[in-house]
Amino acid sequence: MFVYPSGVDVSSSALRFLAARLREHRRALGTRWRRLTAGRQALLTLAHLRNGQPYAQLAAGFGIGTTTAYRYITEAVNLLAALAPTLAEAVRAASTKAFVILDGTLLPIDRIAADRPFYSGKHKKHGMNVQVIADPKGRLMWASPALAGAVHDVRAAREHGVIEALAETGIICWADKGYQGAGGTVRLPYRGRWGSLSTGQRAVNRSHAKIRALVEQAIATLKSWRLLRKLRCSTTRITSLVQAVLVLQLAVTG
């Protein structure tokens, strides 16, 4: 295998953040020596998450075995995932905002037609459903554990307790028609064909769409980590990967 120099378009603050967490972890474990320093392990992990490169290619580039690369990346991902904000913490942060925006996104996975629980009828592909909460500026605040793609957005939000948590604190939440019947403090657009809506209802829907569109920035931020654009790992690992990316993104944006 040929090895060549490459780059990772990630802020240096993300590298420093992860390297610091890995050093703390190694001190806690009493680790004396490893094939890679904490800084190199952090870079290895960021390259995997950001560029989606497979373990064998990364192992060759970093001069380690494929198994070692997998072990180092898994260790770093789990360490980051443990730092992810809970829904309760996200709601407390959201209480200082004028409102939040809720939406779901599908993370594509490599599954066959027989895996019906993972097939999303809305997106016409297999994947995992992740709920996202964004602030009024479209910045990522929270991402949920991943559920099978066949789960509808409103059901996923209820299973995670998002709607109830927002209602208890009185936080206004803007969402699309996929959350019909959610209740609580969730604000939805008027249903019906455009021609059947009144002038006032059309104006409301236009205003609603402008506000809700901001959540697309948060989703785009999440998917700027290329590994999440096409996941080829076990579905049991996807939640940890999403949470790890969330922590890194929050570390960068502050």
Side-chain angles (χ1 to χ4, degrees):
M1 183 180 295
F2 292 106
V3 178
Y4 63 92
S6 185
V8 185
D9 58 339
V10 178
S11 169
S12 59
S13 59
L15 178 64
R16 291 193 298 269
F17 174 82
L18 179 52
R21 302 291 82 73
L22 288 169
R23 291 189 192 97
E24 293 170 359
H25 181 63
R26 291 185 181 191
R27 282 196 295 269
L29 293 177
T31 303
R32 294 186 177 181
W33 180 87
R34 289 197 182 187
R35 292 292 302 277
L36 297 181
T37 64
R40 294 286 286 173
Q41 184 181 357
L43 182 59
L44 170 73
T45 304
L46 291 178
H48 177 64
L49 294 175
R50 190 68 169 187
N51 294 340
Q53 292 177 310
Y55 299 116
Q57 291 181 5
L58 290 170
F62 280 80
I64 56 177
T66 302
T67 301
T68 302
Y70 172 82
R71 188 172 69 252
Y72 280 4
I73 291 171
T74 300
E75 178 185 47
V77 166
N78 291 340
L79 183 62
L80 287 170
L83 301 174
T86 63
L87 177 60
E89 291 170 339
V91 169
R92 281 197 295 272
S95 64
T96 63
K97 311 292 182 181
F99 60 86
V100 297
I101 314 166
L102 173 66
D103 200 3
T105 186
L106 188 81
L107 302 181
I109 59 175
D110 58 341
R111 286 295 183 273
I112 60 175
D115 295 321
R116 298 302 298 179
F118 299 101
Y119 185 78
S120 169
K122 175 183 176 181
H123 298 276
K124 309 300 181 185
K125 63 177 69 172
H126 293 80
M128 301 293 285
N129 181 301
V130 173
Q131 298 294 298
V132 170
I133 293 178
D135 70 8
K137 294 184 178 180
R139 293 175 299 199
L140 187 64
M141 295 184 68
W142 179 79
S144 74
L147 295 177
V151 178
H152 296 291
D153 282 340
V154 67
R155 177 186 162 193
R158 283 177 175 147
E159 286 195 21
H160 296 308
V162 177
I163 297 170
E164 181 180 4
L166 294 173
E168 286 179 354
T169 50
I171 300 171
I172 301 298
C173 172
W174 298 80
D176 64 19
K177 295 177 182 178
Y179 294 87
Q180 199 68 39
T185 56
V186 178
R187 299 290 182 263
L188 304 173
Y190 286 103
R191 296 185 68 184
R193 294 182 179 275
W194 188 254
S196 66
L197 299 177
S198 67
T199 303
Q201 289 174 330
R202 292 179 189 177
V204 169
N205 279 10
R206 278 194 293 266
S207 177
H208 187 284
K210 289 180 181 179
I211 295 173
R212 201 198 63 76
L214 294 170
V215 76
E216 298 301 331
Q217 297 179 26
I219 292 175
T221 296
L222 196 66
K223 291 187 176 180
S224 66
W225 299 79
R226 298 177 187 87
L227 183 70
L228 300 184
R229 296 179 189 175
K230 183 67 174 183
L231 290 153
R232 295 177 172 82
C233 61
S234 168
T235 55
T236 60
R237 294 190 59 232
I238 294 176
T239 291
S240 294
L241 292 170
V242 171
Q243 299 297 313
V245 167
L246 171 64
V247 170
L248 288 171
Q249 195 59 47
L250 293 176
V252 171
T253 59

